[in-house]
Amino acid sequence: MAGGDFLNPSSDKLEKQFEDFRHHLEESGNIRERIRAVATEIDSVTRLIYASLLLVHQSRPVAEVIEKAKSQIGVLKELYSRLSEIVHECPGQYYRYHGDWKSETQTVVSLLAFMHWLETGTLVLHSEVEEKLGLTPTEFGLDVDDYLIGICFMSNELPRYVVNQVTAGDYDCPRKVLKFLTDLHAAFRMLNLRNDFLRKKFDGMKYDLRKVEEVFYDVKIRGLAANGDSAGEKQAQGQS
């Protein structure tokens, strides 16, 4: 009798708690579905950009390749604006849902970085990527790890680019890419990277550097390299 009276309040509290959990999980699930829908659209756009950039490996004019790829940046900017609006519905929970779009964002960074390098021969900065995508650090910014991993992905494209450029007769390309990758590798070494995914991708950059070095030395041995390559060569040796 007394026991029954005692259990009822506890049972009501338990029911209310799990009812609250149900509402919370439903809301969270709906938000994830909306985020994933946008992430899927971002993935589709990156596939179009990548397909356009692949033409650069076929010695197509860089300006032509870049112009076609750049036409999709506006679409990406709109998609990230939609993503930002969804996340703003859950203040302070950016990293709760971050995993639902980080992979696509890393790919976006790698493509923007490759385009920027093709145009300028330099590394696109974190702030420049945010600007291209319409992101703001105080509201909805670009995660630093996503930027760094994206840059590592970009470096994977360079050995292939070097080989194809040499095949097309551009014997100075290995020297330029070797200088760029050597500087990039040195910059990454300033970071205290732990044994996580970023560390593994950084380790992969070392192999990209070695592949470009091999092409550079092969071209040099054959007497095809342009003069003035000693600085890049010395830097590369220092990173080995």
Side-chain angles (χ1 to χ4, degrees):
M1 178 173 61
D5 292 340
F6 176 76
L7 288 174
N8 282 336
S10 177
S11 178
D12 290 343
K13 289 180 181 179
L14 186 64
E15 182 178 347
K16 183 181 183 305
Q17 172 181 271
F18 277 85
E19 181 67 17
D20 291 342
F21 287 165
R22 183 178 69 82
H23 286 301
H24 176 73
L25 291 174
E26 285 181 355
E27 290 176 2
S28 179
N30 289 335
I31 289 172
R32 284 193 188 280
E33 287 180 6
R34 292 164 61 197
I35 288 175
R36 287 170 181 166
V38 177
T40 298
E41 292 187 60
I42 292 174
D43 180 64
S44 297
V45 176
T46 57
R47 290 176 187 274
L48 291 175
I49 295 176
Y50 185 65
S52 299
L53 291 178
L54 281 177
L55 296 176
V56 81
H57 295 301
Q58 300 175 15
S59 299
R60 295 282 288 274
V62 171
E64 175 187 324
V65 172
I66 293 296
E67 182 179 0
K68 187 174 181 180
K70 272 187 170 182
S71 66
Q72 297 296 323
I73 294 180
V75 181
L76 285 176
K77 192 171 184 178
E78 173 60 28
L79 289 171
Y80 274 96
S81 175
R82 285 167 52 190
L83 197 57
S84 175
E85 290 175 1
I86 296 171
V87 175
H88 280 165
E89 295 176 15
C90 323
Q93 299 194 55
Y94 176 96
Y95 283 104
R96 175 185 176 88
Y97 301 103
H98 173 242
D100 294 317
W101 73 80
K102 70 176 183 179
S103 177
E104 290 78 11
T105 298
Q106 291 161 8
T107 301
V108 168
V109 172
S110 71
L111 295 174
L112 293 178
F114 190 41
M115 280 191 277
H116 186 85
W117 182 82
L118 287 171
E119 282 189 299
T120 68
T122 62
L123 180 69
V124 66
L125 300 179
H126 179 275
S127 59
E128 291 174 325
V129 176
E130 287 190 319
E131 183 179 352
K132 290 176 186 292
L133 298 177
L135 306 180
T136 53
T138 55
E139 297 179 10
F140 186 89
L142 173 63
D143 180 75
V144 173
D145 277 17
D146 289 346
Y147 168 76
L148 293 173
I149 291 171
I151 297 303
C152 290
F153 284 152
M154 181 273 287
S155 79
N156 299 157
E157 288 293 321
L158 296 180
R160 179 184 179 188
Y161 178 76
V162 166
V163 170
N164 289 327
Q165 288 299 107
V166 168
T167 301
D170 183 359
Y171 302 120
D172 195 40
C173 180
R175 177 187 65 82
K176 295 177 181 177
V177 176
L178 179 59
K179 174 67 167 60
F180 172 77
L181 271 181
T182 299
D183 291 344
L184 182 60
H185 184 265
F188 264 83
R189 289 182 63 179
M190 295 171 61
L191 306 176
N192 182 23
L193 301 178
R194 302 180 183 277
N195 291 323
D196 56 9
F197 185 68
L198 176 54
R199 177 72 198 197
K200 292 178 181 177
K201 297 312 299 180
F202 168 63
D203 289 341
M205 187 189 294
K206 298 176 186 176
Y207 295 104
D208 297 330
L209 182 57
R210 288 179 186 174
K211 290 175 185 176
V212 174
E213 279 181 339
E214 290 173 0
V215 177
F216 170 75
Y217 290 126
D218 185 57
V219 168
K220 186 176 181 182
I221 289 171
R222 295 172 185 270
L224 300 172
N227 293 328
D229 54 22
S230 57
E233 180 182 354
K234 289 178 181 178
Q235 287 184 349
Q237 289 173 345
Q239 297 300 322
S240 300

